[in-house]
Amino acid sequence: MIELQQPVTRLKGVGVSVELRLARLGITTVEDLIGHYPRRYEDFSKITPIRLMKPGPVTLRGQVQQIASRRARSRRLSITEAIISDDTGTVKAVWFNQPYLAKSLATGTEVFVSGRLEFRNNDLALQAPSIESVNAETKNTARIVPVYPETEGLSSKQLRGLILPLLANIEQLPETLPEEIIAGYKLVSRAEAMSEIHFPSSTVKLSRARHRLAFEELFFLILASQVIKQEIKTEKAPRIKLDVAVVKRLLAQLQFQLTDAQRKAAWQILQDLESDQPMNRLLEGDVGSGKTVVAMISAAVANASGHQVALMVPTDILARQHHDKIAPIMAELGFRTGILLGSQPVATKRPVLQDLAEGNIDLLIGTHALLSGPVKFNKLGLVIIDEQHRFGVQQRQVLKQKAGRLPHLLSMTATPIPRSLALTVYGDLDISIIDSLPPGRQKITTRVTRDKERDEVYSFIDQQIGEGQQVFVVCPLINESDKTGSKSVLAEAERLQKTVFKHRRIGLLHGKLKSDEKEDVMVRFARRDIDILVSTNVIEVGIDIPNATIMMIEGADHFGLAALHQMRGRVGRGTQASYCFLLYDNLSTGAAERLAAMEKTADGFRLAQIDLEMRGPGQIYGIRQHGVLELELADIGDTKLVAAVREAVASFATKPSAMLKYPHIKERVNALKAVTSLD
Ligand code: ADP
Ligand code: MG
């Protein structure tokens, strides 16, 4: 029997130390272990006669002629050497610090040997090859051999030793996909796929196995979003009638015209609101594309029809910024805006909660605190979530309780996920995209900057400050505690103040500050009482200070593309020319490519695409938010696969009886439905 829930400690060869190492890889059960897919493979399946072997990876079948260990000059090192022969010739094999090999392999043993044949010190030898007797089933030689994600003290070889015995009973592995789907799409069984993904019997079978498992990953992901979509359809939301006059009065207060993209997005939202089906829409728009105004229009229309609106944001700073900008505009329309933060003292919260419950607040802006128990709305009709991607069912349930029925939902994100990807991952959401920036924006000149150009950058910064501009300096860390050499906010602020920028006003911002301290800093920065704001990447999200024109990022190699783009988006918001300097500690390959991409392109969607190509879909910022959403094998960029799975889901999900027939599918879908980016 293969008992998936069994702890790995029950397996032969798993003692305390292996248990701990497995745990580091996230493996505690048998199921985790077989779900630990190889990272790549070494094809050692082809056996070459010794005489024909060339340097590189090879496999041979031969006989051990001679094997012995000795101590090297350095006493800590042991060297084992063997001579192996077949009908065509002999070859030497060398191992370091594996003295047991000489004891375990008697001369005359028939063996498979797989490894790299290399010239070293004028000597051609197999360097530390795997060697196994031909009498047993091989794990490390003479086949396509899996190479696993490893951890210190746990090699692929050991993982092979743990996984291979499990595959003996793999036929008993329960099937997870519906029979008709397996038959209809000519998929291999789950058992076969599992076996072949670990120890492929051929490359063709390996690719069938990967296809099957990738299909399954996407199947459940897409099915879950379809189920959510259908469930939302059965709910009733309040109809919110469009009041054109209110929209006009709002627009009249702005100093600018809406862009076409903003107008279109707003129109799509307003149409959704008029329906009694709950809106579930994602508004995507690059940093600075002007999503806030669109949110404001939606809120004003909802308020005008007598409904309350909640605007939820990830940080206190952002809540306060939105409140300061939005409240006066809403006030002109006769609507009252309130703010609610977890960090506020009870005495501040109490009147807000009361006003809200009595319907005296029309728009409530805040953080997660909006979802907490004591918050009672009078007539909640629309919920807007800024800088978030997806709202879990749990949150939706909470809202439903607060509103009496499901309110309309609008999520806004500046993480530009390509549309095809968004449709797959967020299939339950309708999507609006603001695909152009407001006119008149200055291009942000971006430069990857070497450390020796630092002084030049500082004098440029100083000159810009002299002309009235403001500057962000971002460091990856708060304290100096790390060893990576990255700059910390505290030390860097002090250094700048004591040396280069003695005569400038420097402010500090990081996540450990209390909420009111953060606010104080942001207010002073917005009032231009601070010239240089030294910050961690808390500055990443949403901050809008049009007078700031320089973004200097220390240790830029420590940040992902999406984060870098977000940070850069803090400047270039006004009409002044803006600059982004990317300093780095260490340009590894990935980092060099990322920074070069930042220099070359300003388009968030394009950068997201590059990120996708460089790191694979599972890694995309914003998608890898939750364990269950991780896609190990499926490539969301694989449009053929995605299309097939979408079709499969459509054929399956339209039959109401289908889900009942497969309780485990229902379970998986429920787990996926609970996924949320808010926890
Ligand atoms: P984001 O989409 O990143 O949330 P914001 O809503 O903060 O962007 O808008 C960025 C800046 O652009 C704000 O200062 C806002 O007032 C301004 N803005 C928004 N729409 C327009 C427009 N159509 N024309 C000019 N400026 C605009
Ligand atoms: Mg924003």
Side-chain angles (χ1 to χ4, degrees):
M1 256 305 273
I2 183 156
E3 288 179 44
L4 293 173
Q5 296 319 316
Q6 208 177 48
V8 280
T9 43
R10 302 276 285 279
L11 300 176
K12 221 176 115 211
V14 182
V16 178
S17 67
V18 174
E19 179 191 1
L20 292 175
R21 286 167 195 163
L22 284 169
R24 253 189 281 149
L25 293 171
I27 300 170
T28 56
T29 64
V30 167
E31 185 167 27
D32 299 335
L33 191 55
I34 61 171
H36 190 64
Y37 300 137
R39 191 160 47 86
R40 60 185 181 87
Y41 302 84
E42 296 267 24
D43 189 350
F44 287 129
S45 59
K46 196 166 152 285
I47 291 168
T48 311
I50 291 176
R51 193 167 53 82
L52 300 180
M53 287 191 330
K54 292 195 194 76
V58 289
T59 296
L60 65 89
R61 180 186 173 134
Q63 215 176 34
V64 179
Q65 296 301 331
Q66 222 184 18
I67 184 160
S69 282
R70 61 185 160 84
R71 290 254 156 231
R73 254 163 295 158
S74 135
R75 298 280 297 148
R76 298 227 300 283
L77 196 65
S78 89
I79 300 176
T80 305
E81 285 187 348
I83 303 293
I84 296 156
S85 68
D86 66 6
D87 294 344
T88 68
T90 52
V91 66
K92 187 158 98 176
V94 184
W95 297 267
F96 293 106
N97 286 338
Q98 300 189 34
Y100 54 86
L101 276 174
K103 297 196 190 82
S104 62
L105 284 166
T107 12
T109 317
E110 265 311 294
V111 287
F112 287 118
V113 187
S114 291
R116 297 190 72 82
L117 185 65
E118 285 176 30
F119 269 111
R120 275 197 204 168
N121 311 321
N122 274 331
D123 199 12
L124 188 64
L126 286 154
Q127 296 294 334
S130 299
I131 182 162
E132 288 173 306
S133 161
V134 298
N135 296 325
E137 181 180 14
T138 64
K139 301 189 270 286
N140 305 304
T141 63
R143 68 188 309 161
I144 301 174
V145 170
V147 180
Y148 291 100
E150 298 171 356
T151 182
E152 208 181 320
L154 196 60
S155 65
S156 283
K157 193 169 165 185
Q158 284 167 286
L159 285 162
R160 282 174 215 142
L162 291 173
I163 292 171
L164 186 68
L166 295 175
L167 301 181
N169 292 320
I170 201 78
E171 317 86 74
Q172 299 157 7
L173 189 71
E175 185 49 70
T176 40
L177 284 174
E179 299 129 37
E180 60 268 33
I181 302 279
I182 300 219
Y185 290 85
K186 301 200 172 57
L187 302 173
V188 297
S189 73
R190 185 172 166 80
E192 179 179 340
M194 257 329 160
S195 169
E196 291 288 337
I197 195 138
H198 287 291
F199 287 93
S201 47
S202 71
T203 48
V204 173
K205 291 222 163 167
L206 170 60
S207 79
R208 279 193 205 136
R210 291 184 66 99
H211 176 71
R212 142 80 209 213
L213 295 170
F215 194 103
E216 173 173 339
E217 282 178 357
L218 282 180
F219 183 82
F220 287 113
L221 185 63
I222 295 174
L223 181 60
S225 48
Q226 290 304 317
V227 170
I228 294 173
K229 197 166 193 162
Q230 283 172 11
E231 282 176 2
I232 292 177
K233 270 200 190 134
T234 66
E235 303 274 353
K236 286 264 175 285
R239 286 183 191 276
I240 292 177
K241 245 189 94 41
L242 170 58
D243 182 337
V244 181
V246 160
V247 178
K248 285 199 172 137
R249 279 166 56 212
L250 193 162
L251 294 181
Q253 290 186 63
L254 304 175
Q255 275 101 359
F256 49 77
Q257 301 269 308
L258 290 188
T259 61
D260 286 346
Q262 283 172 316
R263 205 169 289 136
K264 187 169 155 203
W267 176 243
Q268 287 170 333
I269 292 163
L270 297 179
Q271 278 194 315
D272 283 0
L273 293 180
E274 289 202 310
S275 153
D276 66 351
Q277 279 196 359
M279 169 169 74
N280 191 28
R281 185 170 285 278
L282 176 70
L283 175 59
E284 270 195 66
D286 208 345
V287 223
S289 60
K291 294 182 290 293
T292 317
V293 188
V294 176
M296 232 178 341
I297 294 170
S298 323
V301 168
N303 284 167
S305 78
H307 290 94
Q308 288 174 308
V309 177
L311 170 57
M312 197 154 99
V313 299
T315 63
D316 286 9
I317 296 182
L318 206 53
R320 294 199 148 108
Q321 175 186 289
H322 276 332
H323 181 262
D324 294 348
K325 291 205 164 161
I326 294 173
I329 296 176
M330 296 299 271
E332 280 294 315
L333 305 175
F335 305 132
R336 221 182 120 187
T337 306
I339 182 164
L340 190 72
L341 307 170
S343 56
Q344 284 166 334
V346 181
T348 315
K349 278 182 200 156
R350 202 178 293 131
V352 177
L353 292 175
Q354 192 174 348
D355 278 343
L356 188 72
E358 288 170 4
N360 299 328
I361 287 179
D362 301 296
L363 168 62
L364 182 64
I365 300 177
T367 52
H368 277 90
L370 298 191
L371 291 179
S372 65
V375 181
K376 301 230 161 25
F377 288 86
N378 184 273
K379 202 178 170 196
L380 178 61
L382 167 66
V383 175
I384 305 171
I385 308 146
D386 195 10
E387 303 296 352
Q388 296 285 355
H389 311 252
R390 178 192 269 264
F391 212 53
V393 263
Q394 275 120 354
Q395 276 83 10
R396 213 173 272 134
Q397 280 311 318
V398 173
L399 288 177
K400 194 172 160 183
Q401 274 165 13
K402 291 197 184 300
R405 48 182 162 178
L406 203 59
H408 294 285
L409 268 179
L410 175 67
S411 308
M412 306 198 290
T413 174
T415 302
I417 303 162
R419 185 186 278 274
S420 59
L421 195 63
L423 278 174
T424 304
V425 184
Y426 305 131
D428 52 322
L429 301 174
D430 295 312
I431 297 176
S432 297
I433 297 185
I434 303 184
D435 53 7
S436 61
L437 295 180
R441 283 286 159 77
Q442 295 290 324
K443 188 171 158 289
I444 304 166
T445 308
T446 303
R447 281 264 310 277
V448 180
T449 310
R450 281 171 300 173
D451 202 50
K452 59 179 185 196
E453 296 167 302
R454 182 179 288 279
D455 290 342
E456 228 176 291
V457 172
Y458 286 146
S459 55
F460 177 74
I461 287 179
D462 198 51
Q463 173 211 329
Q464 293 283 304
I465 295 174
E467 289 173 17
Q469 308 300 302
Q470 289 169 287
V471 181
F472 292 106
V473 174
V474 173
C475 304
L477 298 157
I478 301 176
N479 280 312
E480 200 113 50
S481 57
D482 81 310
K483 296 171 203 83
T484 59
S486 341
K487 291 218 160 29
S488 82
V489 170
L490 298 178
E492 186 62 2
E494 197 179 302
R495 188 183 74 82
L496 293 175
Q497 187 74 81
K498 282 196 178 143
T499 57
V500 224
F501 294 115
K502 279 201 188 79
H503 53 301
R504 299 299 183 196
R505 297 160 304 174
I506 294 183
L508 250 185
L509 186 68
H510 56 76
K512 290 266 164 68
L513 289 180
K514 291 211 196 73
S515 178
D516 50 345
E517 294 171 324
K518 282 188 209 160
E519 186 191 8
D520 181 57
V521 174
M522 284 316 293
V523 167
R524 283 191 294 138
F525 193 58
R527 264 205 241 120
R528 305 196 189 184
D529 291 345
I530 291 174
D531 302 309
I532 303 175
L533 185 61
V534 184
S535 163
T536 51
N537 61 346
V538 292
I539 210 69
E540 180 182 319
V541 164
I543 302 301
D544 187 37
I545 311 269
N547 192 54
T549 54
I550 297 182
M551 168 61 69
M552 179 173 185
I553 304 178
E554 297 283 352
D557 50 318
H558 297 277
F559 295 108
L561 260 185
L564 289 172
H565 181 62
Q566 279 290 319
M567 289 189 268
R568 175 169 61 183
R570 298 307 117 218
V571 298
R573 302 191 144 237
T575 48
Q576 302 284 339
S578 295
Y579 304 87
C580 175
F581 298 101
L582 303 170
L583 285 103
Y584 52 87
D585 296 330
N586 188 354
L587 273 195
S588 58
T589 353
E593 284 175 30
R594 281 202 300 279
L595 301 192
M598 285 292 292
E599 251 183 357
K600 263 189 248 112
T601 169
D603 178 349
F605 284 89
R606 180 75 202 111
L607 287 171
Q609 191 66 42
I610 293 172
D611 208 24
L612 179 66
E613 283 155 21
M614 278 177 60
R615 298 197 298 162
Q619 303 283 335
I620 287 201
Y621 169 85
I623 293 183
R624 197 189 198 90
Q625 285 159 337
H626 202 291
V628 251
L629 249 192
E630 273 173 38
L631 297 172
E632 302 270 357
L633 297 168
D635 173 3
I636 304 187
D638 181 347
T639 44
K640 245 171 89 182
L641 173 66
V642 171
V645 177
R646 293 178 71 85
E647 183 194 274
V649 168
S651 71
F652 178 74
T654 48
K655 282 176 267 158
S657 58
M659 293 276 266
L660 296 175
K661 204 167 120 204
Y662 299 102
H664 69 276
I665 294 185
K666 205 167 163 200
E667 219 171 275
R668 273 289 286 281
V669 165
N670 281 337
L672 281 164
K673 273 165 60 185
V675 171
T676 159
S677 60
L678 290 175
D679 51 28

